[in-house]
Amino acid sequence: MTEDEFDAFYAAAFPRLTGQLYAFTGDHGEAQDVVQEAFVRAWDRRAQFLADSAPEAWIRTVAMRLAVSRWRRAKRWLELVRRTPPPTSVPGPDPEHTALVAALRELPEAQRMAIVLHHLCDLSVQQVASETGAPVGTVKARLARGRAALAKHLAVDEAEGPVREESGRVR
């Protein structure tokens, strides 16, 4: 079978085979996938199709086997998932972390970016300046203002207990 003959065969047989496999699988997308895969495998054998009496039957058989194989794989995966116990619950963030995130949200974006890059990502002032495109002096000012604002947001009455600063120290 030449390339042109194969193209004509594909155009005529694909919709019909997809309909048949859709009836078999119950999933139109899956039917299209397995028929397409069968045609890809047939492409390498197109010279032999001239001798075969029923190339469409060969493609249908391959597509059905692919569909069954996918179904078995999906069934095994589902059994594995059902046997795997659900993950244990993960504790939520501690109050100190939540307070820090809330305080960071209160800062202007430029200050927040400088604080996060310098203190949480461990970048130097020069690296923060390079990454943000701001002069070094501006980064230093943003860090100073951001720290001062964080200190106000994280300030706690003595009755409420200690608060952990962004550096990890307890006040």
Side-chain angles (χ1 to χ4, degrees), residues 100-167:
L100 177 60
V101 170
L104 283 169
R105 286 185 181 151
E106 297 295 321
L107 297 179
E109 184 179 345
Q111 289 177 10
R112 182 173 57 240
M113 178 72 74
I115 294 283
V116 167
L117 291 175
H118 184 67
H119 292 287
L120 300 178
C121 298
D122 291 326
L123 297 182
S124 69
V125 173
Q126 290 76 19
Q127 289 171 321
V128 173
S130 172
E131 193 154 321
T132 60
V136 172
T138 302
V139 171
K140 288 179 181 180
R142 289 175 181 169
L143 286 170
R145 289 183 187 126
R147 282 187 218 118
L150 279 176
K152 288 179 187 174
H153 289 297
L154 295 174
V156 172
D157 293 334
E158 296 300 321
E160 292 183 35
V163 172
R164 193 172 302 274
E165 295 178 344
E166 72 273 15
S167 65

Side-chain angles (χ1 to χ4, degrees), residues 10 13-41 59-60 62-64 66-67 70:
Y10 175 86
F14 183 81
R16 185 172 42 253
L17 289 167
T18 300
Q20 294 166 1
L21 268 290
Y22 174 54
F24 180 69
T25 63
D27 183 339
H28 192 262
E30 181 71 12
Q32 288 177 324
D33 287 348
V34 294
V35 171
Q36 184 66 38
E37 178 64 27
F39 269 104
V40 167
R41 293 180 182 190
I59 291 176
R60 181 177 27 261
V62 170
M64 291 186 113
L66 286 168
R70 286 182 175 195

